[in-house]
Amino acid sequence: ELTVITSAVAVFEALRGQAGIDVLLTGGLYRRDSQTLIGPTAEAVLRDLRADRLFLAVAGASIDFGLSHTNL
């Protein structure tokens, strides 16, 4: 069994209904251009979750700023 936590609506659409996979959407403000959920609601959900494995896509990382992405 697998639980996928995502802010991406496309990931939700691809995985919903798949046997053995639970999908948790973060919630938040929907961005049409990227089809993602963003903002304080999504951040609060992610802050309170713990995962065994993480697959994270970012456009940049720095010690001073942290993680960043082009659509932030």
Side-chain angles (χ1 to χ4, degrees):
E1 185 166 303
L2 174 69
T3 299
V4 174
I5 303 164
T6 186
S7 62
V9 176
V11 171
F12 169 76
E13 289 293 333
L15 298 178
R16 69 184 179 117
Q18 295 291 320
I21 301 178
D22 294 325
V23 183
L24 188 153
L25 275 172
T26 60
L29 178 66
Y30 178 67
R31 290 189 74 166
R32 278 184 221 92
D33 59 335
S34 62
Q35 295 186 22
T36 56
L37 302 166
I38 63 166
T41 302
E43 291 174 14
V45 168
L46 292 172
R47 189 175 300 114
D48 292 337
L49 291 173
R50 300 293 176 264
D52 294 326
R53 290 180 180 75
L54 171 68
F55 301 92
L56 180 68
V58 298
S62 77
I63 292 173
D64 295 330
F65 185 76
L67 303 175
S68 62
H69 200 276
T70 56
N71 65 359
L72 292 178

